[in-house]
Amino acid sequence: MVNRNASMFIAMAVLAGCGADPTGGPTGGVDVPHDGACPAALVVGLSDWMSTQIAVTKLDGITLSESLISTASTTASGVSYALSGDVALPSAAPPSGRVVLLDRFGTNVVTWVDPKSAGVVSQLPVGAGFESNPQDYIEIDGALAFISRWGQNASPGNEEHDEGGDVLIVDTQEPRIVGRIAMPSDDGLPPRPAGMARVGDEVVVILQRIALDFASAGDSVLAGISVASRSVAWTHTFVGLKGCGAPSLAPSGDRLAVACLGKLDADGNVADIAASALVLLDVTASPPVEIKRFPAAAIAGEAIQADAELVTDDLVLLKTQSPLGGASNNRVLALDLASGAATPLLEASPGGDGEGKGVVYGTLWCSPGCSDVCVMADSDAGVLQRFRVEGGAASTMQPLRVEETIGLPPRLVSAF
Amino acid sequence: MPGPPWIARRPRQRAIARGAVLAVCAPRRPKAAGLRRHGARHFYPRACQFVVLGVALLGPATRRVASAEPPPEEGKPIDVTVRAPPRHPSAASKDATVAASVVRGDELSAPGAGLADALRFTAGVQITDTGGLGSPATASIRGATAAQTPVYLGGVRINDDVGGAVDLATVPPWLLDRVEIYRGHAPAAADRLSIGGAVFLEPVRPRARGVGAGAMLGSYGSRAGFAYASLTAGPHQALVAVRAEAADNDYTFADDRGTHFNAADDREGRRSNIDVHVLDVWALGESRAGEGSLRYLVHHIEREQGVPKLALLPSRAARADFARTLAAVTGRAPIGEGAVVEAQTSAVIARTTLHDPLAEISLGAPRVDARGERVTQRLSLAAEAFGALALSPSIDASIERVRRTDEASSGAPASPTIKPLRASIRAALAARAPLVRPLFWQALLAVECHGTAAGAASLGCDELQPTGHAGLSLEIGGLTVYSSAGRYVRVPTMGELYGVSVVMRGNPRLTPERALAVEAGARYVTPLPGERRPLWAEIALFSRWESDLIGFVRTAQGYLLPSNIASARVAGLELDAGAGLVQGVAARLSITALDPRDTTEDETPHDVLPFHARLMIAPGLEAQWKIPGGAILDRIEASARFLYRAGHYADRAGLAVIRDQASLDAELRATGLHGHATARVRVANVLNSDRFDLVGFPLPGRSVFASLEATW
């Protein structure tokens, strides 16, 4: 009997050991009070493009919860996962104080999470039967939010709101889609709305205008949406610039910075560096007026990524674009807008063969007026890089590792 | 009652082989002609099948005895007495000293079941398929990728040089005699000694004159019709067969809409744009001249299907056309005492066209057309030298071209995007000899040379790779103990080197994937008096260390770039066993325990490789009832297979887990009208359980398929 019991125990142990349990579960919520208009904490997205983990840190990057929610939060249904490997975060902190996740390609779902309980408050599919590829989320008031949908449906008409290339109007309480704002398109190119920013009574959205087959791209466009009329009030074309990213509003609210990458070829090289630049706009007027362009060739000697942070009215943190296997590595630069001088702050390490690892620097996030620390997701080193901004200059700080249980690299940063 | 005339004319031969006298296998009435399942294999009682196979594989000694007999008188019956140990059901014909599995017989002819379904229960094999009859499916053997496993149809490798993997659905199994799966070490007949063993799909051989036809109907719009004719003319036999198959595959699944935390919006989804239409044509021939023979094989398949994407967001208009024509001529002739030379010339032409008018599958073009052509010449010699030393040198040479054309979105004239060319040559020597009887040593050593170039560049020997394996085996009666160690490589496909599509980029700097593998196992078989199945078992332990594995790196713009970035160690245990239980009833069990580890140096502590279940258990039962003196019904057979697959990871970090699942398949076969008619009913997923393939495609629920086949 003893032998039989032992055999059964061994057999059960073998069977149990051959199963699969998630490596690490959620580590709970955080109770961080809001301080006026400042965000309460940072949201860090860690991902290897197969699975995703969302951590919460203080504004200076110190970890509060390693895993607020992750792919492991529920067992996969087989059809989908709790979170896919392609999750985006809003480029502006939601005033609602919720953590908002945009599950993009293949899933097309918006998820609202209560950071205190780490529980999912609600979810809303925004796919409408096609790859809508939601890119950005911005709350308009306590009940409504805009969601930009980059995807363009080549054969709409099967479901409500299935056209794509638009900004969805979403009731965040129920939640449900209450309408859409079609983005303008011309030259046969879909609008490809991407990053958004709130500027007074308007929401500005970047239209990247990339063809369905990615073979061609038009000049990027900045579109202004009137929050009141929920329609496009104006557009501004960045003539000669392509692949522009999320607008960054200065602490004063008077200036807007837009970084443009240019048109990437299939190998990750920027075909024409002249199409890559940083643009500074005066947004006290509507439509905004370009103040100055800083060509990428002049400030970096190579293309810049479409993601820049306007830390002060005169200081921008930006990153360079480097192709996988190329001769250069990602760098972080501090650009003095007054002088046009760019100061290198950080450079990624090359691969073992001395070649570039491609884009390894993720989102830059600053909380001007709330924290003097900017953070950047560094998937190369697997850390949050930190920069202190003092006296109109930026300097590097000790990087921080967000978590060590799962080991996913940080790629995205947002706040709530 | 006399059987059909082409059987009555078959001469009976007396062959005395080594081993114990097991049975006197008198010819029986065939149930049909022409096909494997209606041909020679059924000319004998089932209890003698393994004996007949054993005789066929005993080699020159048996043939010499047989040839010493006076030629049988045409039309005059003689008795057959065979002495041989029973053939182990999992011992493959090309190398009995390595771990292998053999799938044959009714497992390959179940209605509504493709090749992937037939292999699903095999030890060491895990299937990935998009779901539904005729849908694309690939096999992973011992944790290897499908591209690491060469698959041969009639001895001709059918892996393309674009993705490298073989879609099992492109070989409908109805005209296969058997499938031999070499789980670790491939035999000399494989022209590539790759990391994931090898799979040999062996078509039936035409045997006699006859015709047949049948039809199949089943769930989700599954339907098929087929016909064949087998002809003989003196020493020449030929078989021509055609089959048309289609399925809507519009089965339902639980659609959570991607909102895992909101069960209120869950609904019943239905798969769409997953229909498939297949046309499958075979021509097989064999001509004998003295002791030599020529065999011909032509196989053509066309498939048109929807490209479904993942179920959550189905595609609407993305379609795929596939066509492949394979032709091979194999000549075999004795050249002196104990030596046989074999030559095979083959050509494979394949084309895949993807249509993506709505840009749903990220091709980057509304149409991508990939064509490949390969011509291969193989020459081998099997000879005995220095007494007991068996030697088999061989040389394989092939030249292959791939062309990919992306149609411009504007409708501009298409132009070839890539046009690489590859020339390969391999020299191999297989040897086997007794060390101290009954202990044998065996070795297969090969040197592969591959030259690949794009455009007009000249071909050189870019990759010169030694491969092979060596080991010992011990054979005592029905017990075989074996062990082997080997080195293997997988040369990057031309698709990996030069790109598959705009999204799947190429990397000309790729180097071959490499692996060192060891395995040890034991195989035992003994007859069970009165039972139609022997008691048999095989257990195998293995470990494999892989380096320079090709993985895909995602670039900033979302493109995937192949790169030699990963390493892995896969170990495991496989058990395959079966026995006749009581009269006419037999049981079978296969267990696979896998420990696939990612040994790549990275920041992720979790090291279990994704998309591999670490435990699979597949028990099965079969029963046969013969109807004595039945005028209409001759025989009823029933079988059931259960498959349990443990939960597995779907990501490298160990956060995504696809739960464990189980399914039960059952089949009932009735043969009647003196073997001229066979009716089959198969119920797949009897328990109607939720099932998903390894990457998450929902698989059909309970499905019923029925077929009726008549032969004359």
Side-chain angles (χ1 to χ4, degrees), chain A residues 2 4 22 56 62 85 89 143 166 171 192-194 232 244 307 343 416:
Chain A
V2 172
R4 198 172 74 176
V56 178
I62 295 174
L89 301 175
D166 53 20
D171 178 339
R192 304 296 200 188
V232 176
C244 300
D307 175 23
T343 306
F416 65 88

Side-chain angles (χ1 to χ4, degrees), chain B residues 130-220:
Chain B
T130 58
L133 183 63
S135 295
T138 57
S140 164
I141 299 177
R142 287 185 172 175
T145 66
Q148 290 171 338
T149 301
V151 178
Y152 298 86
L153 175 58
V156 181
R157 182 163 46 87
I158 55 173
N159 300 63
D160 65 46
D161 225 313
V162 178
V166 166
D167 178 358
L168 298 175
T170 64
V171 187
W174 70 297
L175 271 186
L176 295 182
D177 176 68
R178 65 189 186 281
V179 180
E180 297 186 357
I181 302 131
Y182 297 85
R183 301 194 296 265
H185 305 295
D191 70 338
R192 297 281 174 90
L193 295 182
S194 192
I195 295 168
V199 176
F200 284 82
L201 311 173
E202 300 295 351
V204 299
R205 296 173 67 174
R207 293 291 190 192
R209 204 176 301 162
V211 295
M216 185 275 291
L217 283 175
S219 300
Y220 314 120

Side-chain angles (χ1 to χ4, degrees), chain B residues 4-13 69-78 207-209 232-235 237:
Chain B
W6 64 88
I7 299 304
R9 287 201 302 273
R10 183 180 176 83
R12 300 178 185 179
Q13 296 179 329
E69 297 287 326
E73 191 176 334
E74 184 73 15
K76 181 179 180 181
I78 56 173
R207 293 291 190 192
R209 204 176 301 162
T232 61
Q237 291 98 33

Side-chain angles (χ1 to χ4, degrees), chain A residues 18-22 74-81, chain B residues 126 253-256 260 266 612-615 643-650 655-663 685 688-699:
Chain A
C18 288
D21 293 315
T74 64
T75 301
S77 68
V79 176
S80 64
Y81 303 96
Chain B
Q126 299 194 31
F253 65 98
D255 181 3
D256 63 18
H260 264 244
D266 291 359
H612 298 290
R614 291 194 285 171
L615 179 67
L643 177 64
Y644 169 80
R645 194 182 73 198
H648 63 278
Y649 296 102
L655 295 178
V657 173
I658 294 181
R659 64 177 183 267
D660 60 345
Q661 52 193 284
S663 65
N685 192 7
N688 200 30
S689 54
D690 288 339
R691 295 187 306 140
F692 301 90
D693 87 326
L694 287 166
V695 301
F697 285 108
L699 300 177

Side-chain angles (χ1 to χ4, degrees), chain A residues 15 17-19 21-23 51 72 74-78 80-81 108 123 130-131 158 213 265-268 324 355 359 406, chain B residues 256 259-261 309 313 316 364 409 505 509 556-557 559 561 604-606 614-615 649-651 653-655 657 692 696:
Chain A
L15 291 177
C18 288
D21 293 315
T23 306
S51 49
T74 64
T75 301
S77 68
S80 64
Y81 303 96
N108 303 288
Q123 291 189 291
F130 74 107
E131 287 287 4
N158 298 293
D213 62 359
D265 69 12
D267 295 318
L324 180 65
E355 296 179 331
V359 174
I406 306 301
Chain B
D256 63 18
T259 56
H260 264 244
F261 300 92
K309 290 180 64 180
L313 207 59
R316 292 198 193 101
S409 298
R505 311 295 301 169
R509 293 176 297 178
Q557 60 274 43
Y559 297 144
L561 187 73
T604 310
H606 178 78
R614 291 194 285 171
L615 179 67
Y649 296 102
D651 68 333
L655 295 178
V657 173
F692 301 90

Side-chain angles (χ1 to χ4, degrees), chain B residues 412-704:
Chain B
S415 58
T417 306
I418 60 165
K419 203 165 54 176
L421 191 68
R422 167 171 286 170
S424 303
I425 188 164
R426 189 197 75 157
L429 177 64
R432 186 168 193 262
L435 203 59
V436 180
R437 285 187 188 275
L439 183 64
F440 291 79
W441 66 267
Q442 62 273 339
L444 170 59
L445 304 173
V447 178
E448 299 179 18
C449 169
H450 304 278
T452 310
S458 61
L459 291 172
C461 192
D462 307 332
E463 295 291 345
L464 186 64
Q465 294 288 341
T467 56
H469 56 86
L472 299 172
S473 60
L474 181 71
E475 298 175 7
I476 306 173
L479 175 68
T480 301
V481 181
Y482 56 83
S483 65
S484 292
R487 178 188 189 273
Y488 302 103
V489 299
R490 183 183 76 86
V491 178
T493 65
M494 287 189 275
E496 290 168 330
L497 290 170
Y498 300 103
V500 174
S501 69
V502 171
V503 177
M504 302 281 277
R505 311 295 301 169
N507 182 356
R509 293 176 297 178
L510 289 176
T511 60
E513 298 179 329
R514 303 159 208 273
L516 296 174
V518 295
E519 75 171 10
R523 189 181 287 127
Y524 179 71
V525 61
T526 187
L528 293 174
E531 298 298 334
R532 68 190 188 99
R533 300 288 193 220
L535 170 66
W536 60 277
E538 180 182 31
I539 187 165
L541 287 159
F542 71 93
S543 190
R544 191 175 66 232
W545 296 266
E546 305 170 14
S547 58
D548 293 329
L549 295 177
I550 296 172
F552 286 90
V553 178
R554 182 173 149 149
T555 65
Q557 60 274 43
Y559 297 144
L560 299 174
L561 187 73
S563 189
N564 294 99
I565 52 170
S567 59
R569 193 271 296 150
V570 182
L573 179 149
E574 295 148 350
L575 171 70
D576 208 356
L581 297 179
V582 293
Q583 193 72 36
V585 179
R588 181 170 185 173
L589 172 68
S590 71
I591 297 175
T592 303
L594 197 66
D595 185 32
R597 298 288 172 173
D598 184 349
T599 56
T600 310
E601 288 186 13
D602 59 19
E603 300 288 334
T604 310
H606 178 78
D607 66 349
V608 179
L609 285 170
F611 306 118
H612 298 290
R614 291 194 285 171
L615 179 67
M616 297 185 73
I617 304 174
L621 272 177
E622 62 176 24
Q624 184 188 80
W625 299 274
K626 292 180 180 173
I627 314 296
I632 297 177
L633 205 56
D634 305 332
R635 187 172 66 244
I636 295 176
E637 295 164 281
S639 63
R641 293 299 299 266
F642 181 82
L643 177 64
Y644 169 80
R645 194 182 73 198
H648 63 278
Y649 296 102
D651 68 333
R652 292 183 64 200
L655 295 178
V657 173
I658 294 181
R659 64 177 183 267
D660 60 345
Q661 52 193 284
S663 65
L664 174 69
D665 287 9
E667 187 183 354
L668 187 67
R669 298 179 292 277
T671 306
L673 301 178
H674 309 302
H676 289 295
T678 302
R680 294 182 174 91
V681 176
R682 170 174 168 263
V683 183
N685 192 7
V686 174
L687 306 176
N688 200 30
S689 54
D690 288 339
R691 295 187 306 140
F692 301 90
D693 87 326
L694 287 166
V695 301
F697 285 108
L699 300 177
R702 184 183 301 116
S703 320
V704 181

Side-chain angles (χ1 to χ4, degrees), chain A residues 195-264:
Chain A
M196 298 187 289
R198 178 74 181 257
V199 181
D201 295 332
E202 294 175 340
V203 168
V204 294
V205 56
I206 285 288
L207 308 182
Q208 295 185 326
R209 303 180 66 238
I210 297 174
L212 286 177
D213 62 359
F214 310 101
S216 60
D219 293 342
S220 290
V221 169
L222 187 68
I225 301 173
S226 165
V227 172
S229 67
R230 298 178 190 176
S231 61
V232 176
W234 50 262
T235 61
H236 172 83
T237 301
F238 296 115
V239 177
L241 301 182
K242 302 178 192 301
C244 300
S248 175
L249 190 65
S252 67
D254 294 341
R255 288 181 162 192
L256 196 71
V258 175
C260 302
L261 165 66
K263 169 74 173 67
L264 282 177

Side-chain angles (χ1 to χ4, degrees), chain B residues 188-191 342-345 376-380 394-396 426:
Chain B
D191 70 338
E342 185 174 284
Q344 184 185 64
T345 303
T376 304
Q377 179 64 52
R378 174 179 173 81
L379 188 64
S380 66
S394 64
I395 189 161
D396 296 86
R426 189 197 75 157

